[in-house]
Amino acid sequence: MHSITEDEKDIIKRLTARLPPTPPAEPDWSDTSSISNEEAELDGFTQKPPAFPLPPPTNPPQEILDIDSKTPDAHVPRDARLIRLTGVHPFNVEAPLTDLFNEGFLTSPELFYVRNHGAVPQVEEASLFDWEFTVEGLVDRPFKISLRSLMEDYADQIITVPVTLVCAGNRRKEQNMVRKSKGFSWGPGGVSTALFTGVPMSAIIAAAKPTRRARYVCMEGADKLPNGYYGTSVKRNWVQDPNRGIMLAWKMNGELLRPDHGRPLRAVIPGQIGGRSVKWLTKLILTESPSDNWYHINDNRVLPTMVSPEESAADPSWWTDDRYAIYDLNSNSAIAYPAHDEVLPLSTRAVETYDVRGYAYGGGGRRITRVEITLDKGKTWRLAKIDYPEDRYREALENTNLYGGRLDMFWRETSFCWCFWSLAISTDDLAASADIMVRCMDEGLALQPREMYWSALGMMNNPWFRIVIHRENDTMRFEHPTQPALMPGGWMERVKKEGGNLVNGFWGERMGSVVDEEQVMPEIKEDIKMTKDGIDRIIEIDELRKHDTEEEPWFVVDGEVYNGTAFLKDHPGGAQSIISAAGLDSTDEFVAIHSETAKAMMSSYHIGSLSEVSQSILAEGSSDSSGSNTSRPLFLDARGWNSAALHSKKIVSWDTRIFTFQLEHEEQLLGLPVGRHLMMRLKDPDDQQTVVRAYTPISEQTTPGFVDVLVKVYFDTTEQKGGKMTKALDQLPVGGRVYFKGPIGKFEYLGKGLCSINGDRRTVREFRMICGGSGITPIYQVLRAIMQDPNDGTHCTVLDGNRLEEDILCKDELDAFAAGNPDRCRILHTLTKAGDGWQGLTGRIGENLLAETCPSPYDDNHEGQSDTLVLICGPGALEKTAHKVLTGLGWKDDDLLFF
Ligand code: MTE
């Protein structure tokens, strides 16, 4: 049973009472003003904050998410914003890049990325400090010690240090776009930073008196996995080197570790891939050779690029050759701003600049010494500014106590954390460029490569990070390389779909005669056969559903049925990964997550084909959202798709329909704040391609159980092809399913003139709303919210352009708002093909009408934003004209909002 989370309660409250959301508590910890650390009382920070960064405000999750309730992690409360990379279980997640970046230098534990190979060990609160681990192997004095004794016996050695952990798979989705590797698809958010408190591992090792032969320190965790407990090793030499900072930690950002991050005790190995920092630590074993743990051998390697997943599976010697094991991180960087799909209006002012910003990190304690940006594919470079917040801790006094540990930084020369870079670029330069790329170099001169080094595990991906700039009318739209997990989007996917060759040395762009595409084409991979010869059994849906069980789970991929029972024990992600798919069509998830080797194994589990009728029943009944549950209070989920069936279709005019979809239960609210949009996804019945578009429903946000979407259908004409999405929707039979996801969009109307734009609040006295055709729908939502609240004094002028009178959408409702609120609502309709009896305006929305409805709002010496905001939504040509005319009239881009 789902219990409502605080976030959801807040949304419901806002949607029903139209209250502004609770303002976040926002102390500016990044403010490094001149307070010295002497002034600050560091234990508890009762006085002014110190000059080094402290953690951002944290909001520890309290609830078990529905999605986790049937997994072995049903004891772990989690943050719903995290993007799940491997389905429901095990828990492998990253925060959306913008959220992660906005947290600043330190990441709150609830948004810190998680990489769990299996279930999280459950440790009772009462016995937390009784947790024990052993120190054994090649030592003269093996011992076992509890966390309590560790904290007491080594009390004078407790330290606190900021450390960035990075999963070796960070940015792997880019590798998977080139060719599927044996790993799942991380975006660039597999990186996070925290202040860890604990003791140097060297002190504990020394107490056990290692013998001369002891060259490696193996670590083992308490998580039992299909191939034994998770474990790995590092060199003893590194453990003993203070500059390497290797430690055992029990606190993260001043609080005890959260379950996903190793509660109650973990290793922290700074500067190295996250895979070495063993969580839920139970053993330290000194050995002569590297760890023989299955996960040490079979994970965390960069094999030579020509070794395919199949070849590596066929020859075990690739995995035992320690030259290919990875320890220190390589230098890497990514762009956070512009964000993916961010839109920037082209400025008319020549001096305007945009701050391109992102992160970078090096490995092995090496510092990033330069970050460079190119706007011309590497012909010329510009030097970005680098900020190392880590340095501010070094400036603290020597014996500064932080979270019960000495801030062990003033003497340290090595850099264990990410840094931030920024570069102001003129919008004119951006507008003249096709892409922005970043690369960084560390103090050992290790430079990020131009080309990707593809390898079978897809790890350590660090080519130049590239975002593409699209010029669309008078705006620029930015496109990142990928989106994490199965999320669609990114130039790599687009280029691939368009038939481009991502490894032609030019990011898949057609370069005419510059490169010989033929020569650099990668080996074309034959589709991997996942079926078994001689299997001709036809399976019906009822039989499949009988196997929606933990004991004998059957699942469907590409219409074929597989029995996962025999693989439950051996699945690297644990049995739960298969059980979660039981009785379902898991094609998308399977194809995206699994390697070619895994696919090749599938034939052994193939038992038959699902009949065609059963396939369509399964497709209709399936939902992408693995958390789907009939008791969810809100239908929309920003991270996952949920399906709803078409309940009815109302024909409004020859080309306009209102589609009513039925939500999961009668009380369910859509969960879309006023002013924001949702995405709808559908398969085009003509070519089976997936189509996704953004819409704003017209139904009330407070209406439970249903959502109404007003759609103008763009039919094919002799001159041009019609709209893929609108035609597909029009063909959808009642009962047919469409997938929804959201909310999206930067604008939200919070009531009484208060707006939120990209999270920034501003209050407006007046809206000028310019729209055309179905562009009325987002405008209509905002207008209705204002007009329905008698205490909302915000004035609205709507200029709505259409061709014929019957094309005007929501005309009666709009006119009723104006009639009922003459003092605060003016509706102007203009038609390009007005009939004889038309009493309203005529002509296109152009210079005259805009000058009349939107005169410049500024006084002569006006500075900053105005208290009038223009909302614009319509076809591209309308938006382009409006932008040109309004900026010509003196409007500033800050006061124009394009939906
Ligand atoms: N330790 C145990 N016991 N089990 C694991 O699955 N995953 C490793 C490492 N330590 C893992 C583990 C990997 S691959 C990474 S990247 C880091 O933990 C992730 O740490 P985090 O989940 O706290 O971010």
Side-chain angles (χ1 to χ4, degrees), residues 382-663:
R382 304 173 185 205
L383 199 56
K385 262 196 329 226
I386 300 179
D387 179 35
Y388 251 104
E390 186 178 358
D391 289 343
R392 272 161 231 147
Y393 300 88
R394 304 184 209 272
E395 291 151 17
L397 291 182
E398 188 175 339
N399 285 318
T400 299
N401 182 322
L402 184 56
Y403 305 135
R406 201 166 24 83
L407 184 57
D408 192 34
M409 289 295 291
F410 87 98
W411 60 273
R412 206 177 279 285
E413 294 292 337
T414 35
S415 296
F416 294 152
C417 297
W418 62 354
C419 61
F420 299 121
W421 55 264
S422 67
L423 181 70
I425 301 182
S426 84
T427 42
D428 286 347
D429 285 358
L430 288 178
S433 313
D435 48 22
I436 315 175
M437 285 186 261
V438 62
R439 70 179 183 194
C440 70
M441 188 191 269
D442 74 11
E443 58 189 309
L445 268 55
L447 179 65
Q448 273 180 262
R450 182 179 189 277
E451 309 307 333
M452 170 184 293
Y453 188 87
W454 187 93
S455 71
L457 286 179
M459 288 177 160
M460 298 286 231
N461 185 50
N462 73 335
W464 303 351
F465 189 91
R466 170 178 189 250
I467 64 178
V468 169
I469 306 175
H470 294 279
R471 286 285 300 273
E472 288 167 355
N473 305 321
D474 272 2
T475 61
M476 283 178 271
R477 183 172 61 81
F478 300 96
E479 190 182 30
H480 278 224
T482 61
Q483 289 293 282
L486 305 180
M487 290 163 68
W491 60 262
M492 297 189 84
E493 182 186 77
R494 177 176 50 76
V495 164
K496 209 166 162 176
K497 271 196 192 141
E498 289 164 0
N501 169 13
L502 285 170
V503 287
N504 68 354
F506 290 90
W507 302 276
E509 290 191 357
R510 303 232 172 262
M511 302 302 289
S513 57
V514 179
V515 265
D516 179 353
E517 298 257 341
E518 285 305 309
Q519 274 178 24
V520 288
M521 278 296 277
E523 167 203 2
I524 307 274
K525 193 74 206 120
E526 301 249 313
D527 268 354
I528 295 176
K529 187 163 175 296
M530 293 183 7
T531 51
K532 196 189 286 178
D533 289 337
I535 296 280
D536 52 9
R537 177 173 165 194
I538 299 294
I539 295 171
E540 295 299 341
I541 188 86
D542 288 347
E543 201 181 354
L544 175 76
R545 286 189 174 147
K546 276 191 209 135
H547 291 87
D548 173 8
T549 63
E550 292 190 11
E551 295 72 35
E552 202 183 340
W554 291 10
F555 58 94
V556 177
V557 176
D558 277 339
E560 300 298 325
V561 182
Y562 297 86
N563 180 349
T565 318
F567 199 51
L568 282 174
K569 196 169 56 60
D570 297 326
H571 191 281
Q576 192 61 42
S577 323
I578 301 178
I579 295 165
S580 300
L584 297 177
D585 183 341
S586 46
T587 309
D588 289 348
E589 197 106 342
F590 181 88
V591 171
I593 291 176
H594 290 86
S595 64
E596 290 163 9
T597 320
K599 287 175 190 158
M601 287 166 65
M602 287 292 279
S603 61
S604 335
Y605 308 102
H606 182 215
I607 52 168
S609 310
L610 196 63
S611 77
E612 272 191 28
V613 177
S614 299
Q615 279 188 42
S616 57
I617 299 173
L618 192 63
E620 284 190 10
S622 77
S623 154
D624 279 17
S625 171
S626 27
S628 149
N629 176 312
T630 48
S631 62
R632 296 185 317 123
L634 299 178
F635 173 68
L636 283 181
D637 180 346
R639 294 171 307 109
W641 294 95
N642 285 292
S643 71
L646 181 64
H647 172 266
S648 52
K649 178 162 104 174
K650 184 171 160 199
I651 312 280
V652 182
S653 71
W654 70 277
D655 67 346
T656 307
R657 326 270 183 255
I658 295 176
F659 294 92
T660 300
F661 293 90
Q662 187 160 20
L663 306 184

Side-chain angles (χ1 to χ4, degrees), residues 112-115 117 223 230 261 266 274-275 277-280:
F112 201 102
Y113 85 88
V114 180
R115 170 74 180 103
H117 283 75
D223 44 338
Y230 184 84
H261 297 293
R266 74 174 302 166
S277 293
V278 173
K279 303 190 275 192
W280 313 293

Side-chain angles (χ1 to χ4, degrees), residues 594-841:
H594 290 86
S595 64
E596 290 163 9
T597 320
K599 287 175 190 158
M601 287 166 65
M602 287 292 279
S603 61
S604 335
Y605 308 102
H606 182 215
I607 52 168
S609 310
L610 196 63
S611 77
E612 272 191 28
V613 177
S614 299
Q615 279 188 42
S616 57
I617 299 173
L618 192 63
E620 284 190 10
S622 77
S623 154
D624 279 17
S625 171
S626 27
S628 149
N629 176 312
T630 48
S631 62
R632 296 185 317 123
L634 299 178
F635 173 68
L636 283 181
D637 180 346
R639 294 171 307 109
W641 294 95
N642 285 292
S643 71
L646 181 64
H647 172 266
S648 52
K649 178 162 104 174
K650 184 171 160 199
I651 312 280
V652 182
S653 71
W654 70 277
D655 67 346
T656 307
R657 326 270 183 255
I658 295 176
F659 294 92
T660 300
F661 293 90
Q662 187 160 20
L663 306 184
E664 290 162 348
H665 60 88
E666 289 178 345
E667 264 117 40
Q668 192 171 46
L669 292 177
L670 178 64
L672 186 70
V674 175
R676 303 193 72 196
H677 328 296
L678 48 75
M679 285 190 285
M680 290 170 64
R681 193 187 84 191
L682 188 66
K683 271 222 166 94
D684 183 338
D686 295 334
D687 58 11
Q688 290 305 308
Q689 272 184 4
T690 301
V691 206
V692 178
R693 296 281 184 279
Y695 285 95
T696 314
I698 53 158
S699 44
E700 295 259 14
Q701 306 302 315
T702 46
T703 309
F706 293 94
V707 54
D708 297 334
V709 188
L710 179 90
V711 175
K712 211 176 175 58
V713 183
Y714 295 98
F715 295 106
D716 289 343
T717 63
T718 39
E719 295 91 56
Q720 64 188 52
K721 276 193 95 53
K724 238 173 147 37
M725 181 75 175
T726 60
K727 284 191 309 173
L729 268 174
D730 202 36
Q731 291 177 54
L732 190 73
V734 167
R737 286 192 166 260
V738 170
Y739 288 82
F740 294 78
K741 190 170 163 183
I744 56 163
K746 59 186 169 196
F747 175 80
E748 184 176 338
Y749 186 68
L750 303 165
K752 302 204 174 35
L754 188 61
C755 310
S756 161
I757 301 173
N758 277 334
D760 292 335
R761 306 280 185 99
R762 73 183 273 190
T763 303
V764 298
R765 257 186 349 100
E766 205 174 337
F767 281 114
R768 305 288 159 89
M769 300 163 157
I770 315 293
C771 55
S774 49
I776 186 69
T777 51
I779 300 264
Y780 179 70
Q781 281 283 8
V782 180
L783 184 73
R784 182 174 55 195
I786 297 170
M787 295 308 144
Q788 280 178 345
D789 180 355
N791 298 320
D792 189 331
T794 316
H795 284 243
C796 300
T797 302
V798 180
L799 176 59
D800 181 20
N802 285 283
R803 218 164 65 93
L804 304 166
E805 186 172 354
E806 54 264 39
D807 289 339
I808 305 177
L809 303 174
C810 307
K811 181 166 187 304
D812 294 346
E813 292 86 344
L814 291 170
D815 293 346
F817 288 144
N821 302 276
D823 50 333
R824 56 183 183 137
C825 178
R826 200 156 69 109
I827 308 282
L828 303 168
H829 297 291
T830 179
L831 298 179
T832 49
K833 286 223 166 357
D836 285 343
W838 175 247
Q839 312 252 309
L841 302 168

